[in-house]
Amino acid sequence: MKQAIIPPIMALAAIWAVMTPARADFRLCNNTSSRVSVSLAYTDGETWVSEGWWNLKASACETLVRGPLAAEFYYVYAMDERGGEWKGKAFMCTRDREFRILGREDCFVRGFDRTGFFEVDTGKEAKNWTVQLTDPALVRPSP
């Protein structure tokens, strides 16, 4: 009976595939025509954390959270260099320069800004997620 011989390259590829962990990240892609600044907020079940800023060039993507997603809901606020915003009704603490803030209460009292973030529902089973920021559609008045 003949034994199958596995070429060394295929064996190495099989080992690499088993050893390489699956990618699991929270990413944000800037599909707009201008640079955007992004902040992210989430909870670990006990503490709220907001952090920023990531600056993304037009047509660029950035990983904001590395590894499997620990939360079902993430919150994003972004603004572009022309004054455009992607915002929502979930208020978190931010500031103008780089930050990592614990807690979302009493932002003004603690010396921070209070900013509305939009909610991203990644689902209960998601291990990775990508948010796509796009230019707002042009609204044309009807004739």
Side-chain angles (χ1 to χ4, degrees):
M1 180 191 304
K2 274 189 165 179
Q3 289 187 338
I5 298 175
I6 300 173
I9 292 176
M10 289 179 68
L12 287 175
I15 291 169
W16 181 80
V18 171
M19 292 177 58
T20 303
R23 293 291 305 195
D25 299 320
F26 185 94
R27 294 175 40 87
L28 189 132
C29 292
N30 175 14
N31 296 325
T32 73
S33 56
S34 62
R35 186 175 66 89
V36 297
S37 295
V38 177
S39 57
L40 179 71
Y42 51 89
T43 182
D44 63 6
E46 295 179 20
T47 305
W48 281 95
V49 177
S50 57
E51 52 188 329
W53 295 96
W54 288 268
N55 294 303
L56 282 76
K57 296 177 190 172
S59 303
C61 295
E62 181 76 32
T63 299
L64 307 185
V65 176
R66 295 197 184 282
L69 301 183
E72 180 179 349
F73 297 98
Y74 287 82
Y75 299 83
V76 175
Y77 172 80
M79 62 183 165
D80 67 21
E81 53 197 4
R82 292 183 247 171
E85 295 181 294
W86 293 262
K87 60 185 179 177
K89 296 179 181 180
F91 290 95
M92 309 291 173
C93 300
T94 61
R95 69 179 190 186
D96 289 340
R97 59 179 192 252
E98 186 177 328
F99 66 91
R100 185 173 197 281
I101 301 170
L102 299 179
R104 62 185 279 191
E105 62 286 325
D106 302 320
C107 297
F108 296 126
V109 172
R110 297 189 299 149
F112 302 120
D113 296 319
R114 185 173 177 261
T115 305
F117 285 56
F118 68 87
E119 183 177 88
V120 177
D121 181 351
T122 63
K124 292 183 190 279
E125 302 299 319
K127 298 299 180 210
N128 59 59
W129 198 266
T130 300
V131 173
Q132 308 280 343
L133 292 182
T134 58
D135 282 317
L138 294 174
V139 178
R140 295 193 171 102
S142 35

